Amino acid sequence: MLLLPLLLKATLLHLASGFYHPFHNGFYYNHIMNDNGDEQDRVDYFSGSRLVVEASKDPVYSYNGANVTLPCHYRYEPNLGPKRKIRIKWSKLRDDYTKEQDVMVAIGKTYVAFGDFKGRAHFRQAGEASWHEASLVISDVRLKDDGKYRCEVIDGLEDESDVVDLRLQGIVFPYQPPRGQYRLNFHEAEQVCQDQGAILANFNQLFQAWSEGLDWCNAGWLADGTVQYPIRLPRKPCGGVHLAPGIRSYGPRHRHLHRFDAFCFSSALKGEVFYLDRLAGMTLEEAKQSCQDAGAEIARVGQLYSAWKFAGLDRCSAGWLADGSVRYPIVTPRANCGPAEPGVRSFGFPRKGRFGVFCYRER
């Protein structure tokens, strides 16, 4: 009968000895439970001070190829004086705020970046007088960097976080492959956007495009696996005349079996799109060679849309693009240049014909 009390006593002594290592949020806090009996740390953690983390409340806007800072700071209330050795962790989140991937973790002055963020992410050094710095700097921003980021500060048993929304300035465009409407499953839609210098758009990007005037009756895949389409002018073939303008949704679809078009998203360019032509025009193969001779490559659809949107490219002459389509961008509508609205006009995918070409060259 004495065995159970003796075991209980031994367990309690073991826990009190400092050899029991607590884990919290995946981090091991040896600096408060195993620091050679440093009582001051223990007093601070239970002295009533509160860790406060604050990130940017407004979205942070950037564009492809730029450098961007995601602001995040922390402090103690009341102030504990000199900066303590804490852990800072940045994660990229899905739209439902669950973690998508680790971005960076720092302990003191040592930090490690993960995955696609290696070599592109670091911490900003300077901070405001009353706050400690935890801001994340991302260089050479990429299209898929768009999204929500969690700034998490961990000090012993305290763990506080806030979320920053990084939004890329860009353009959404609908895309159909050469073989026609509703031919792409989700994975094929991802690939065709990538082939055109873009990525599948997310809902926020499609909503922004709709608010700026995008009206498109064909349903297309979005990055979350849903199928939706933006309607500004309700009409019978597009959900009916009695529905209000907005984003129509088919909801999540089977990513392998169901087939639709794609909504792609492209941002500003690092280089330039320019037009070349010959008196007699060019075939697609001749067009590709002409771009190479000019130290460039034939432009992709996403690059043409970006040049139209951000560089004001306006050309009434049709030209080949890398996917075999023939298009031209109009900023200022005028006679003999298509409809009365600005936009990128398309001649589809002609099997024959001779046209100019749009080329893309890195700066």
Side-chain angles (χ1 to χ4, degrees):
M1 296 297 292
L2 294 175
L3 182 59
L4 185 59
L6 288 173
L7 287 173
L8 179 60
K9 182 177 180 180
T11 301
L12 292 174
L13 287 172
H14 178 67
L15 293 177
S17 67
F19 291 102
Y20 170 65
H21 302 322
F23 284 81
H24 180 68
N25 239 20
F27 290 91
Y28 163 48
Y29 298 98
N30 64 342
H31 70 294
I32 67 167
M33 297 295 270
N34 198 22
D35 259 0
N36 298 321
D38 188 343
E39 295 296 330
Q40 184 59 47
D41 273 349
R42 302 185 192 185
V43 170
D44 287 344
Y45 283 109
F46 300 101
S47 64
S49 63
R50 183 170 71 97
L51 175 63
V52 178
V53 175
E54 185 173 294
S56 173
K57 304 303 180 190
D58 297 322
V60 176
Y61 290 91
S62 188
Y63 55 90
N64 190 43
N67 299 333
V68 66
T69 298
L70 304 186
C72 182
H73 303 86
Y74 68 95
R75 68 181 179 188
Y76 296 92
E77 296 178 350
N79 192 345
L80 294 179
K83 184 176 180 181
R84 303 159 64 93
K85 187 176 181 180
I86 50 84
R87 290 168 171 82
I88 300 172
K89 181 178 181 181
W90 280 89
S91 304
K92 193 171 187 294
L93 306 178
R94 300 182 180 89
D95 287 340
D96 62 1
Y97 288 86
T98 58
K99 189 175 79 170
E100 178 179 323
Q101 64 183 123
D102 291 329
V103 175
M104 178 175 287
V105 173
I107 303 174
K109 295 183 178 180
T110 302
Y111 66 86
V112 178
F114 301 98
D116 293 336
F117 293 96
K118 286 183 178 179
R120 296 195 301 125
H122 62 275
F123 286 106
R124 188 165 65 182
Q125 298 301 313
E128 302 173 19
S130 59
W131 291 86
H132 299 302
E133 187 66 74
S135 300
L136 178 70
V137 178
I138 302 175
S139 60
D140 190 19
V141 169
R142 299 173 182 175
L143 292 175
K144 61 183 177 180
D145 291 344
D146 183 283
K148 298 178 177 65
Y149 291 76
R150 174 178 288 128
C151 171
E152 188 175 9
V153 179
I154 305 154
D155 186 353
L157 299 178
E158 285 197 88
D159 181 349
E160 297 293 335
S161 66
D162 204 350
V163 173
V164 184
D165 192 3
L166 172 60
R167 298 183 186 177
L168 267 63
Q169 296 172 320
I171 182 169
V172 173
F173 60 94
Y175 189 83
Q176 291 180 3
R179 55 187 192 273
Q181 182 184 15
Y182 292 174
R183 299 297 183 94
L184 304 170
N185 67 26
F186 174 79
H187 304 289
E188 291 167 341
E190 279 190 314
Q191 187 61 52
V192 298
C193 288
Q194 182 177 330
D195 291 344
Q196 299 314 312
I199 60 173
L200 271 179
N202 61 40
F203 177 81
N204 289 335
Q205 292 163 347
L206 183 64
F207 183 85
Q208 179 67 28
W210 169 81
S211 69
E212 294 173 356
L214 181 62
D215 182 289
W216 196 257
C217 200
N218 295 336
W221 290 102
L222 296 182
D224 61 357
T226 62
V227 174
Q228 313 198 36
Y229 61 102
I231 295 297
R232 300 278 298 185
L233 179 64
R235 48 204 185 273
K236 188 174 181 179
C238 307
V241 296
H242 301 297
L243 290 178
I247 307 294
R248 312 275 195 255
S249 178
Y250 289 4
R253 301 283 90 185
H254 195 289
R255 298 189 179 201
H256 292 284
L257 299 180
H258 292 151
R259 294 183 176 273
F260 297 92
D261 294 342
F263 285 105
C264 303
F265 173 82
S266 183
S267 185
L269 300 172
K270 300 178 184 178
E272 63 173 339
V273 174
F274 59 94
Y275 183 79
L276 293 177
D277 200 4
R278 295 178 185 170
L279 186 61
M282 292 174 276
T283 65
L284 177 58
E285 292 306 315
E286 289 171 342
K288 291 179 180 178
Q289 186 60 51
S290 292
C291 289
Q292 291 179 12
D293 293 343
E297 62 181 12
I298 189 169
R300 305 179 188 187
V301 177
Q303 292 167 339
L304 183 66
Y305 270 95
S306 294
W308 168 73
K309 171 79 171 180
F310 297 105
L313 183 63
D314 184 295
R315 186 85 195 195
C316 198
S317 303
W320 290 105
L321 294 175
D323 65 340
S325 65
V326 174
R327 308 176 194 245
Y328 62 101
I330 296 296
V331 174
T332 305
R334 51 202 183 271
N336 302 319
C337 294
E341 302 82 24
V344 175
R345 323 286 195 223
S346 176
F347 284 3
F349 298 85
R351 294 184 179 180
K352 298 180 180 180
R354 302 179 71 86
F355 304 92
V357 62
F358 289 98
C359 305
Y360 174 74
R361 181 166 50 212
E362 291 277 355
R363 288 195 181 95

